[in-house]
């Protein structure tokens, strides 16, 4: 009889452990909002099973004068390996690049010699893209650790701010819609008006397979008097996404 009771108790523990696919990620007070956001994007199981995503992206990189370097890129985002591969044709020739989440990179140009400054800008932008396309998944598979959550109101929107520590991207906080749990923006470098940092603003789209992916990522400098400033740093528009 004792053996039966023990087996039944063990079975209940297994069931309860499997009931919450987010239990292993130690999301703490942010569990509901992060899980809700990822579930709306297709679910943690499906996102963890994605090997790579291929896409055509129009990438605009802005310098300090506001002038944009614009490339139409073919990107292969290898989520499991934490690597992004990109290639583009320019008026001078073509280039290919491979960048990982640790900042290691390889860059090759054909038909022209790319300046070191422009090459650094391209590599930095790809590293940012590799991090940002994961959205809330970073809080489950990356090195960022959740510090606290709070409700805030920004630009008339009710949001849940999830502050984080750690990671190589310098991220300070994730901001989720308080009702839908959709990820609205990410701050990096700083997290208040007047700070030296950036805000990444998202636009999302659901694809026929039920997965959600950002169709637009807009990175701006933090404003002097407002969190979301007007000075662009990086913009990415995805025109074709294949899973």
């Amino acid at each position: 009889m004792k053996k039966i009771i023990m087996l039944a108790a063990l079975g209940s523990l297994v069931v309860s452990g499997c009931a919450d696919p987010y239990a292993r990620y130690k999301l703490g007070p942010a569990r509901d909002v992060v899980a809700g956001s990822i579930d709306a994007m297709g679910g943690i199981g499906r996102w963890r099973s994605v090997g790579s995503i291929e896409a055509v992206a129009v990438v605009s990189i802005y310098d300090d004068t506001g002038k944009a370097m614009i490339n139409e890129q073919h990107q292969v985002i290898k989520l499991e390996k934490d690597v992004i591969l990109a290639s583009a044709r320019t008026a001078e020739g073509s280039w290919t690049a491979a960048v990982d989440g640790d900042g290691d990179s390889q860059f090759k140009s054909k038909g022209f010699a790319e300046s070191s400054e422009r090459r650094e800008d391209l590599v930095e932008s790809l590293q940012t893209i590799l991090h940002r396309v994961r959205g809330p998944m970073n809080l489950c598979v990356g090195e960022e650790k959740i510090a606290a959550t709070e409700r805030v109101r920004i630009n008339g929107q009710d949001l849940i701010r999830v502050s984080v520590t750690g990671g190589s991207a310098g991220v300070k906080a994730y901001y989720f819609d308080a009702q839908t749990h959709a990820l609205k923006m990410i701050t990096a470098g700083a997290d208040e008006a007047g700070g030296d940092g950036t805000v990444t603003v998202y636009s999302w789209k659901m694809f026929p397979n039920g997965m959600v992916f950002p169709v637009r990522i807009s990175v701006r400098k933090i404003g002097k008097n407002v969190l979301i400033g007007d000075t662009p740093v990086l913009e990415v528009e995805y025109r074709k996404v294949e899973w």
Side-chain angles (χ1 to χ4, degrees), residues 22 25 34-35 37-53 77-81 130-138 140-141 202 204-207 209-214 241 243:
Y22 297 93
Y25 299 111
V34 174
S37 184
I38 295 174
D39 283 344
M41 293 169 57
I44 186 105
R46 296 183 69 187
W47 268 93
R48 294 216 60 162
S49 67
V50 173
S52 62
I53 298 171
I77 305 165
K78 297 180 177 292
L79 296 177
E80 185 176 358
K81 295 183 178 180
L130 178 61
H131 176 275
R132 299 301 193 271
V133 294
R134 284 194 177 92
M137 280 295 296
N138 286 315
C140 293
V141 300
Y202 285 90
W204 301 90
K205 177 183 177 180
M206 178 174 283
F207 288 82
N209 64 353
M211 302 287 280
V212 173
F213 191 79
V241 178
W243 306 80

Side-chain angles (χ1 to χ4, degrees), residues 18-243:
C18 293
D20 182 6
Y22 297 93
R24 59 184 288 195
Y25 299 111
K26 300 179 181 179
L27 300 175
R31 187 272 173 204
D32 289 346
V33 64
V34 174
S37 184
I38 295 174
D39 283 344
M41 293 169 57
I44 186 105
R46 296 183 69 187
W47 268 93
R48 294 216 60 162
S49 67
V50 173
S52 62
I53 298 171
E54 290 194 44
V56 174
V58 177
V59 180
S60 303
I61 304 171
Y62 294 85
D63 63 19
D64 292 336
T65 69
K67 182 179 179 180
M69 174 177 64
I70 303 173
N71 289 135
E72 183 175 275
Q73 302 177 8
H74 174 257
Q75 297 180 355
V76 179
I77 305 165
K78 297 180 177 292
L79 296 177
E80 185 176 358
K81 295 183 178 180
D82 197 22
V83 172
I84 183 170
L85 310 176
S87 61
R89 294 186 178 276
T90 70
E92 301 94 342
S94 61
W95 59 262
T96 60
V99 179
D100 68 21
D102 293 326
D104 294 328
S105 65
Q106 294 181 349
F107 187 95
K108 296 180 180 179
S109 58
K110 185 177 181 180
F112 69 107
E114 188 66 276
S115 68
S116 59
E117 182 179 358
R118 186 170 171 180
R119 182 168 60 248
E120 289 174 5
D121 288 342
L122 286 167
V123 168
E124 184 179 350
S125 70
L126 290 172
Q127 188 175 11
T128 298
I129 292 168
L130 178 61
H131 176 275
R132 299 301 193 271
V133 294
R134 284 194 177 92
M137 280 295 296
N138 286 315
L139 299 174
C140 293
V141 300
E143 297 179 354
E144 295 164 357
K145 304 301 180 184
I146 293 170
T149 63
E150 63 176 327
R151 293 181 71 98
V152 297
R153 188 170 178 82
I154 299 176
N155 291 351
Q157 298 182 79
D158 291 320
L159 305 172
I160 298 177
R161 176 183 178 272
V162 178
S163 60
V164 299
T165 59
S168 60
V171 170
K172 298 300 181 183
Y174 290 72
Y175 290 80
F176 298 86
D177 185 285
Q179 298 299 321
T180 66
H181 294 169
L183 178 62
K184 291 294 187 178
M185 59 186 185
I186 293 176
T187 54
D191 190 48
E192 59 183 0
D196 184 14
T198 64
V199 180
T200 299
V201 180
Y202 285 90
S203 296
W204 301 90
K205 177 183 177 180
M206 178 174 283
F207 288 82
N209 64 353
M211 302 287 280
V212 173
F213 191 79
V215 290
R216 183 180 179 87
I217 298 171
S218 179
V219 182
R220 309 176 195 174
K221 289 185 178 181
I222 290 176
K224 183 177 180 180
N225 300 306
V226 294
L227 184 61
I228 306 174
D230 297 324
T231 303
V233 176
L234 172 68
E235 291 183 351
V236 186
E237 293 187 13
Y238 285 104
R239 295 182 175 176
K240 185 178 181 182
V241 178
E242 297 180 354
W243 306 80

